């Protein structure tokens, strides 16, 4: 019995040994798999060059270590507090797209790992514990186990790598967490390497491209020199046939630029037409039809001629001009368009144009410069040819002179009679519209007043009409379009009024209407309403819809009126009342309107007296350094301490001051008082090293003596130019800019700093920032208000600050009312701040108290 028992024990022992051996093999295989996975992870440093492929390979490596069906890598930008899911694979959740504010993931496990900086194995028990502690809330689909570790680079958390399980069959353990944590550090190293490699490759590629471009530019320069010499030779040959000249120019230009589609257009100013002297177009099926002479319209060639400048367009710019109603809809095949003006003695005589129908042929600024040069030679050739033609025509004209003079003598008597008739008509009528003029209308109204005094039942009304947007038409389309519009409106008004009524033009865009024999006021209201509705419709001016509108003042006859001039005055007042109420309407005159005009006149009189009595004084709002909130200076804001009206705020007088021009005297009075106050503070030992920033109305900068005037004021009080800063608005930079530029340069050379106020709210052209000597940009309060809620505002402000930094300008944020706005601006590298959060505008005495407290 003993032997079998020993045999049984031996079998059992062998089985046990075999089990242990199998277990050791599995453990060995497990360790070998992990070793292989980590080795592959390290090898990504040299094998994986594309960042997106790198993330995919990382997923494969992690999946070889553990179950990782649901896996993502999210990067964290600490500066802008944003998350970006650069890799995401999940059975239930969709991939978040783009950069997402970090705060959107408040309560998530990803947020918890980033905030804590520690790895997390979130089992159901651990999840319940974190929820009870309010550390997390439900974000995304519920999982069974969630495993996440931070990606740490040089002590900073740059992201999170995570896996998660939605089934009980897949559970994660502590060694999975340790493994993922260890792998994360290799991932950061590999990620840094891949990103550095990608940047290095881009730098090498950019330098290689630059060197190749230099070689091509040198070759192109040699070809350009030769080609321009050939063009000059052609232009110098007075006997050259003009058609042959254009063909040769086309051939030469084609060697430098892709000029498969090329034409030269001539502008006839007298007839306002375009004719095409030479044209070649690949896609034109009927060139004769496509390039026949035409009236000036809204094509790109007309844009070149009207602007007098080169026009370089790609497909997007073509559609942008079309959507702005500047040009017609672009051709379906046009991809790039370049046109330059032909000039003779600064007079535009035509345009030279090339265009491309191929997406891989797009013109550049260098092409524009080349074509501009060629255009000068073409213009000279046209001028010589026209001189020859002129001599020929002159000779022909001399032969016809006798015959013409004979006919002229026969016509002279007839024309003199017509002239006499025309002079009589012109004396009583407007030359442009043919309507009665002011003199005739005054006589008619005086006659109506006289009739009404004799017969009380002969009531009448006067309508005073002013076009609302006529200046816009003149400025955008030109005076020719404005004159055409006035003619059309005059014709329409004659259709609307009754046969016994009279419409006249006073001048400019002002019309008056006399409505006689009124039975009741409704008749006048009906005519005013019909005029309003007529002017609401668009007018077709030079193939472009124009919206105009009008404001109408209505005045009814009354026994108190003794003259037409007084009636026109009150009708004009009612018209301005209609314009103030929103335009495009009519208002009936009443006594309160006259009182409003009187109030404005009284306010103007009081302002003039206040200037003489030096009643305007500065209030000072501190400007602080956003890094430490130390006061560095003040903005001087005008206030009026009136003997008659008491304390008057700017909103009550500034607009009228600007309208009347009194604001310029107020500005200088404020500047002088600021200098005097600086002198006082200096004697008291206060405000040492601080400056005062004074606002100057734009018209100051149109005065060539401005620098001398300002220097004279500061020197009178012993104030250094560095203690005074001058604020200018964008409008000044867009008008009379040669005078403005000279003044700004002179002021800067004297030591005054120039601030551009309310930047971003006006035209905001980047060009003037390069051309004008500006030291500081003041970011308008409209961008800073609700800064936390508007991401677009943050982007705009960041762009302005970066632009200012690149141009070596400082920045001041205006209208800061909350701490969060100040902190965010400070993080964006804005230098200075100003607003109610720091201090409201204060008197000079309060400034001393504030400085003593600090």
């Amino acid at each position: 019995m003993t032997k079998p028992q020993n045999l049984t024990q031996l079998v059992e022992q062998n089985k046990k040994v075999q089990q242990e051996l199998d277990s050791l093999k599995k453990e060995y295989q497990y360790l070998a798999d992990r070793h292989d996975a980590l080795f592959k992870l390290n090898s990504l440093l040299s094998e994986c060059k594309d960042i997106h492929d790198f993330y995919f390979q990382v997923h494969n490596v992690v999946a070889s270590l553990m179950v990782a069906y649901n896996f993502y890598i999210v990067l964290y930008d600490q500066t802008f507090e944003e998350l970006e899911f650069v890799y995401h694979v999940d059975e239930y959740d969709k991939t978040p797209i783009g950069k997402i504010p970090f705060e959107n993931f408040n309560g998530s496990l990803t947020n918890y790992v980033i905030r804590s900086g520690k790895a997390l194995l979130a089992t159901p028990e651990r999840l319940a514990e974190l929820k009870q502690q309010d550390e997390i809330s439900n974000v995304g689909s519920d999982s069974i186990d969630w495993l996440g570790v931070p990606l740490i680079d040089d002590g900073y958390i740059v992201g999170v790598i995570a896996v998660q399980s939605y089934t009980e069959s897949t559970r994660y353990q502590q060694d999975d967490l340790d493994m993922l944590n260890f792998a994360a550090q290799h991932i950061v190293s590999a990620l840094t390497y891949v990103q550095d490699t990608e940047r290095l490759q881009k730098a090498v590629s950019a330098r290689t491209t630059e060197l190749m471009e230099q070689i091509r530019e040198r070759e192109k320069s040699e070809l350009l020199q030769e080609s321009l010499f050939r063009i000059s030779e052609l232009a110098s040959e007075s006997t050259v046939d003009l058609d042959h000249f254009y063909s040769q120019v086309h051939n030469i230009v084609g060697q430098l630029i892709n000029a498969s589609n090329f034409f030269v257009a001539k502008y006839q100013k007298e007839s306002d037409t375009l004719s095409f002297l030479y044209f070649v177009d690949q896609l034109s099926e009927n060139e004769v039809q496509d390039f026949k002479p035409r009236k000036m319209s809204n094509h790109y060639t007309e844009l070149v001629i009207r602007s007098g400048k080169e026009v370089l367009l790609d497909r997007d710019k073509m559609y942008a001009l079309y959507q702005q109603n500047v040009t017609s809809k672009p051709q379906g095949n046009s991809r790039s368009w370049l046109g330059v003006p032909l000039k003779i003695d600064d007079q535009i005589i035509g345009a030279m144009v090339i265009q491309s129908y191929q997406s891989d042929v797009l013109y550049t600024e260098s092409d524009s410069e080349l074509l501009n040069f060629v255009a000068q030679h073409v213009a000279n050739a046209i001028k010589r040819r026209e001189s020859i033609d002129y001599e020929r025509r002159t000779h022909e004209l001399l032969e016809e002179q006798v015959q013409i003079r004979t006919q002229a003598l026969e016509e002279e008597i007839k024309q003199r009679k017509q002239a006499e008739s025309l002079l009589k008509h012109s004396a009583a009528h407007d030359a442009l519209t043919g309507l009665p003029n002011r003199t005739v209308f005054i006589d008619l109204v005086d006659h109506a007043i006289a009739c009404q005094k004799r017969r009380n039942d002969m009531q009448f009304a006067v309508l005073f009409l002013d076009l609302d947007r006529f200046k816009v038409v003149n400025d955008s389309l030109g005076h020719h379009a404005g004159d055409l519009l006035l003619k059309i409106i005059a014709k329409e008004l004659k259709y609307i009024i009754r046969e016994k009524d009279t419409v006249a033009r006073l001048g400019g865009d002002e019309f008056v209407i006399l409505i006689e024999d009124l039975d009741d006021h409704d008749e006048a209201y009906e005519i005013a309403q019909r005029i309003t509705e007529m002017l609401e419709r668009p007018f077709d001016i030079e193939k472009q819809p124009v919206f105009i509108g009008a404001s109408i003042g209505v005045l009814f006859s009354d026994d108190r009126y003794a003259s037409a001039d007084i009636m026109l005055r009150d009708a004009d007042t009612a018209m301005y009342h209609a314009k103030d109420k929103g335009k495009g309407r009519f208002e009936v005159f009443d006594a309160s309107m006259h009182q409003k005009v009187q109030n404005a006149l009284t306010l103007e009189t009081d302002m003039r007296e206040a200037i003489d009595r030096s009643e305007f004084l500065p209030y000072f709002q501190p400007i602080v350094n956003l890094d430490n909130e130390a006061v560095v200076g003040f903005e001087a804001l005008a206030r009026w301490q009136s003997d008659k009206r008491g304390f008057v705020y700017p909103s009550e007088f500034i607009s009228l001051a600007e309208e009347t021009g009194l604001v310029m005297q107020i500005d200088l009075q404020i500047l002088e008082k600021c200098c005097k106050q600086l002198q006082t503070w200096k004697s008291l030992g206060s405000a040492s090293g601080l400056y005062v920033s004074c606002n100057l109305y734009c018209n100051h900068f149109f005065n060539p003596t401005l620098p001398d005037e300002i220097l004279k004021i500061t020197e009178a009080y012993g104030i250094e130019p560095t203690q005074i800063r001058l604020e200018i608005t964008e409008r000044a930079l867009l008008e009379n800019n040669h005078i403005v530029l000279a003044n700004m340069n002179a002021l800067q050379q004297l030591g005054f700093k120039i601030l551009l106020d309310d930047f971003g709210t006006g035209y905001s052209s980047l060009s003037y920032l390069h051309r004008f000597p500006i030291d500081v940009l003041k970011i308008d309060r409209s961008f800073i208000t609700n800064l936390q809620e508007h991401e677009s505002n943050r982007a705009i402000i960041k762009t302005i600050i970066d632009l200012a930094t690149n141009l070596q300008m400082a920045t001041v944020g205006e209208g800061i009312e909350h701490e969060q706005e100040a902190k965010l601006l400070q993080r964006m590298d804005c230098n200075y701040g100003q607003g109610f959060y720091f201090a409201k505008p204060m008197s000079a005495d309060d400034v001393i108290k504030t400085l003593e407290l600090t």
Side-chain angles (χ1 to χ4, degrees):
M1 294 294 294
T2 303
K3 190 173 181 179
Q5 184 177 3
N6 291 337
L7 182 59
T8 302
Q9 291 176 348
L10 184 59
V11 170
E12 290 296 327
Q13 289 175 358
N14 287 339
K15 288 176 63 179
K16 186 175 182 181
V17 169
Q18 186 64 40
Q19 289 175 351
E20 291 177 352
L21 183 60
D22 292 340
S23 177
L24 288 172
K25 287 181 178 180
K26 289 181 179 179
E27 184 175 355
Y28 172 79
Q29 186 61 43
Y30 176 72
L31 292 174
D33 290 342
R34 291 202 168 194
H35 177 270
D36 291 342
L38 292 176
F39 178 82
K40 186 173 182 180
L41 187 62
N42 285 326
S43 69
L44 289 178
L45 288 170
S46 58
E47 295 176 356
C48 193
K49 304 302 182 183
D50 179 76
I51 193 70
H52 300 290
D53 183 58
F54 167 77
Y55 298 135
F56 176 78
Q57 295 297 335
V58 167
H59 184 192
N60 286 343
V61 172
V62 173
S64 70
L65 299 173
M66 63 187 73
V67 177
Y69 298 124
N70 306 288
F71 173 84
Y72 64 84
I73 300 174
V74 59
L75 298 184
Y76 172 54
D77 187 331
Q78 188 173 1
T79 301
F80 292 95
E81 295 188 338
E82 292 176 334
L83 294 178
E84 182 179 9
F85 286 79
V86 296
Y87 187 83
H88 185 276
V89 176
D90 195 279
E91 296 175 85
Y92 299 100
D93 289 339
K94 294 182 179 179
T95 302
I97 303 301
K99 294 183 178 180
I100 306 165
F102 183 56
E103 61 185 17
N104 289 7
F105 277 77
N106 285 343
S108 69
L109 293 171
T110 301
N111 179 286
Y112 177 83
V113 170
I114 291 174
R115 285 188 294 105
S116 65
K118 297 178 182 179
L120 173 65
L121 172 55
T123 63
E125 296 77 13
R126 180 60 174 152
L127 287 172
E129 179 183 343
L130 290 174
K131 289 180 182 178
Q132 187 175 7
Q133 296 171 356
D134 290 331
E135 291 289 342
I136 65 169
S137 58
N138 288 324
V139 175
S141 302
D142 289 335
S143 59
I144 302 299
D145 280 354
W146 186 91
L147 188 60
V149 297
L151 299 175
I152 301 175
D153 183 19
D154 196 20
Y156 292 93
I157 296 176
V158 298
V160 172
I161 182 171
V163 296
Q164 58 183 329
S165 166
Y166 295 106
T167 64
E168 286 289 343
S169 61
T170 300
R171 302 297 300 272
Y172 298 117
Q173 305 300 325
Q174 181 62 37
D175 58 342
D176 294 320
L177 178 62
D178 295 338
M179 190 63 234
L180 194 61
N181 202 10
F182 180 73
Q185 306 316 310
H186 289 268
I187 291 169
V188 170
S189 299
L191 176 61
T192 303
Y193 173 79
V194 172
Q195 290 175 334
D196 290 344
T197 300
E198 191 171 63
R199 283 193 290 269
L200 179 59
Q201 289 174 343
K202 288 182 179 178
V204 171
S205 177
R207 180 56 180 160
T208 302
T209 302
E210 181 182 352
L211 291 173
M212 292 302 296
E213 185 64 27
Q214 290 176 359
I215 294 172
R216 285 193 293 269
E217 284 299 321
R218 185 173 300 170
E219 294 173 348
K220 186 176 180 181
S221 177
E222 294 174 355
L223 178 60
L224 174 62
Q225 185 175 358
E226 179 186 351
S227 299
L228 294 182
F229 178 74
R230 291 168 56 198
I231 292 175
S232 298
E233 283 186 325
L234 282 171
S236 301
E237 296 178 13
S238 59
T239 58
V240 69
D241 177 76
L242 203 54
D243 291 335
H244 178 69
F245 173 80
Y246 293 135
S247 177
Q248 290 299 308
V249 168
H250 182 194
N251 182 51
I252 294 170
V253 172
Q255 295 178 30
L256 301 170
I257 317 172
N258 188 313
S260 301
N261 307 287
F262 174 89
F263 66 82
V264 178
K266 181 75 187 307
Y267 173 54
Q268 300 292 342
K269 186 176 181 180
E270 296 77 11
S271 59
D272 199 34
T273 58
L274 276 183
S275 57
F276 295 88
L277 306 179
Y278 179 86
F279 47 85
V280 173
D281 192 281
Q282 292 176 309
L283 298 186
S284 177
E285 296 180 357
N286 187 349
E287 288 185 339
V288 175
Q289 180 67 25
D290 293 342
F291 290 95
K292 68 179 182 180
R294 68 171 183 243
K295 275 283 185 182
M296 288 285 284
S297 59
N298 60 344
H299 294 83
Y300 305 132
T301 307
E302 283 85 337
L303 187 60
V304 174
I305 292 172
R306 291 192 179 106
S307 66
K309 299 177 181 178
E310 62 271 11
V311 174
L312 175 59
L313 303 172
D314 56 21
R315 193 68 176 174
D316 292 339
K317 291 180 180 178
M318 293 178 192
Y319 269 99
L321 291 173
Y322 168 62
Q323 291 169 353
Q324 296 166 13
N325 291 326
V326 176
T327 61
S328 59
K329 189 174 183 179
Q331 299 179 28
N333 296 315
S334 184
R335 292 293 178 268
S336 186
W337 195 96
L338 172 59
V340 297
L342 297 172
K343 297 181 182 179
I344 295 179
D345 298 329
D346 293 329
Q347 182 180 358
I348 307 299
I349 66 166
M352 180 183 292
V353 175
I354 57 176
Q355 64 177 321
S356 166
Y357 299 127
Q358 302 168 249
S359 58
D360 60 340
V361 177
L362 301 177
Y363 301 119
T364 64
E365 290 294 340
S366 62
D367 297 330
S368 177
E369 294 175 5
L370 170 65
L371 206 62
N372 250 324
F373 186 90
V374 174
Q376 296 304 314
H377 294 275
V378 174
N380 290 334
I382 293 175
K383 181 179 180 180
R384 281 194 294 272
R385 180 58 180 265
E386 287 184 342
S387 296
I388 295 172
D389 291 343
Y390 177 76
E391 291 177 2
R392 176 181 53 78
R393 289 197 305 270
T394 301
H395 181 72
E396 293 174 353
L397 287 173
L398 287 173
E399 293 178 350
E400 297 173 1
Q401 197 68 321
V402 175
Q403 183 180 357
I404 294 174
R405 181 56 181 163
T406 302
Q407 294 175 350
L409 289 173
E410 293 174 354
E411 291 289 325
E412 188 171 343
I413 297 174
K414 180 180 178 181
Q415 291 177 359
R416 184 172 296 175
K417 292 181 180 179
Q418 292 176 344
E420 291 176 357
S421 175
L422 182 61
L423 284 173
K424 292 180 181 178
H425 183 273
S426 298
H429 291 79
D430 172 54
L432 178 65
T433 63
L435 294 176
N437 59 18
R438 183 187 185 94
T439 301
V440 172
F441 191 80
I442 290 291
D443 290 341
L444 291 174
V445 175
D446 281 334
H447 180 266
I449 292 173
C451 292
Q452 197 262 342
K453 289 188 179 298
R454 289 194 301 270
R455 290 183 53 187
N456 194 50
D457 61 332
M458 297 187 67
Q459 301 296 312
F460 65 94
V462 173
L463 273 58
F464 198 112
L465 184 151
D466 181 89
L467 304 181
D468 289 333
R469 287 178 289 276
F470 182 71
K471 186 176 184 301
V472 175
V473 176
N474 262 348
D475 292 346
S476 59
L477 300 180
H479 290 284
H480 173 74
D483 290 347
L484 180 59
L485 178 61
L486 290 174
K487 290 179 181 179
I488 295 173
I489 291 175
K491 187 176 181 180
E492 293 292 333
L493 290 175
K494 289 169 67 176
Y495 285 146
I496 289 177
I497 64 173
R498 303 171 305 177
E499 187 175 350
K500 55 187 174 182
D501 299 331
T502 303
V503 58
R505 182 185 178 215
L506 298 185
D509 60 343
E510 293 182 337
F511 296 86
V512 284
I513 299 172
L514 174 62
I515 305 174
E516 299 190 77
D517 297 335
L518 284 178
D519 294 328
D520 57 50
H521 289 180
D522 287 344
E523 291 180 90
Y525 296 153
E526 181 184 354
I527 292 175
Q529 183 62 37
R530 289 171 62 192
I531 293 173
T532 302
E533 292 173 355
M534 178 269 291
L535 291 171
E536 286 176 347
R537 299 192 300 269
F539 293 89
D540 185 13
I541 304 298
E542 295 185 344
K543 298 182 180 180
Q544 181 168 333
V546 172
F547 293 85
I548 191 74
S551 300
I552 304 174
V554 180
L555 176 71
F556 292 102
S557 58
D558 192 279
D559 291 339
R560 68 178 183 275
Y561 290 115
S563 73
D565 287 328
I566 300 300
M567 292 196 74
L568 281 182
R569 181 202 68 186
D570 288 350
D572 185 37
T573 299
M575 180 275 293
Y576 274 107
H577 193 71
K579 198 173 285 290
D580 289 342
K581 279 195 169 184
K583 303 180 181 179
R585 58 185 295 133
F586 67 86
E587 291 290 329
V588 180
F589 176 82
D590 60 46
S592 65
M593 296 180 185
H594 186 65
Q595 185 60 44
K596 182 178 179 181
V597 175
Q598 293 299 317
N599 290 341
L601 293 174
T602 302
L603 179 60
E604 180 181 349
T605 301
D606 290 349
M607 274 198 294
R608 294 183 184 277
E609 293 175 357
I611 292 172
D612 293 337
R613 292 196 294 265
S614 191
E615 291 182 352
F616 294 94
L617 68 158
Y619 263 47
F620 302 91
Q621 185 171 36
I623 300 172
V624 305
N625 187 319
L626 288 178
D627 288 334
N628 54 22
E629 296 192 3
V631 176
V632 297
F634 301 88
E635 180 180 1
L637 303 170
R639 300 292 187 267
W640 179 10
Q641 185 61 53
S642 172
D643 291 340
K644 293 182 180 180
R645 298 171 178 265
F647 192 84
V648 185
Y649 285 92
S651 59
E652 300 177 46
F653 68 86
I654 286 295
S655 60
L656 182 60
E658 291 180 346
E659 181 180 338
T660 58
L662 296 176
V663 68
M664 298 180 69
Q665 298 178 58
I666 295 172
D667 286 346
L668 295 179
Q669 194 171 107
I670 293 296
L671 174 62
E672 184 173 359
K673 289 190 176 182
C674 286
C675 292
K676 183 177 181 181
Q677 194 60 55
L678 280 168
Q679 184 187 54
T680 301
W681 290 339
K682 185 177 180 181
S683 65
L684 295 174
S686 302
S688 176
L690 301 181
Y691 65 84
V692 173
S693 180
C694 298
N695 293 280
L696 290 182
Y697 187 58
C698 61
N699 287 5
H700 283 291
F701 286 84
F702 306 154
N703 175 14
T705 64
L706 175 66
D708 293 334
E709 293 177 7
I710 294 178
L711 186 62
K712 182 178 180 181
I713 293 173
T714 56
E715 287 181 342
Y717 291 94
I719 300 302
E720 295 296 326
T722 54
Q723 293 179 269
I724 293 293
R725 299 193 177 187
L726 305 173
E727 296 197 16
I728 184 173
T729 59
E730 295 181 44
R731 179 187 161 195
L733 307 183
L734 301 171
E735 300 180 22
N736 300 322
N737 55 33
H738 63 286
I739 299 177
V740 174
L741 179 60
N743 280 332
M744 292 175 70
N745 284 327
L747 287 167
Q748 198 175 64
Q749 290 171 4
L750 291 172
F752 296 98
K753 287 189 179 295
I754 309 290
L755 285 71
L756 183 57
D757 196 16
D758 300 333
F759 182 73
T761 60
Y763 296 90
S764 299
S765 171
L766 298 182
S767 62
Y768 60 61
L769 292 182
H770 293 279
R771 291 189 288 112
F772 290 90
I774 298 167
D775 299 292
V776 181
L777 294 183
K778 299 193 74 175
I779 304 170
D780 187 72
R781 67 180 65 245
S782 62
F783 297 113
I784 295 173
T785 302
N786 299 322
L787 183 58
Q788 297 289 331
E789 301 174 10
H790 295 87
E791 185 176 348
S792 60
N793 282 8
R794 294 201 299 272
I796 291 172
I797 291 174
K798 182 62 177 171
T799 300
I800 292 173
I801 293 171
D802 290 344
L803 175 64
T805 301
N806 291 334
L807 296 177
Q808 297 183 337
M809 300 177 187
T811 50
V812 178
E814 295 185 289
I816 300 174
E817 297 186 0
H818 304 288
E819 180 182 7
Q820 296 90 335
E821 295 168 352
K823 295 298 183 185
L824 187 53
L825 285 171
Q826 190 266 343
R827 288 200 301 272
M828 289 181 177
D829 295 329
C830 182
N831 306 114
Y832 306 104
Q834 175 183 352
F836 284 6
Y837 169 66
F838 302 109
K840 294 182 179 181
M842 61 187 76
S843 66
D845 293 337
D846 289 338
V847 169
I848 295 177
K849 295 176 184 178
T850 301
L851 293 176
E852 288 175 350
L853 291 174
T854 57

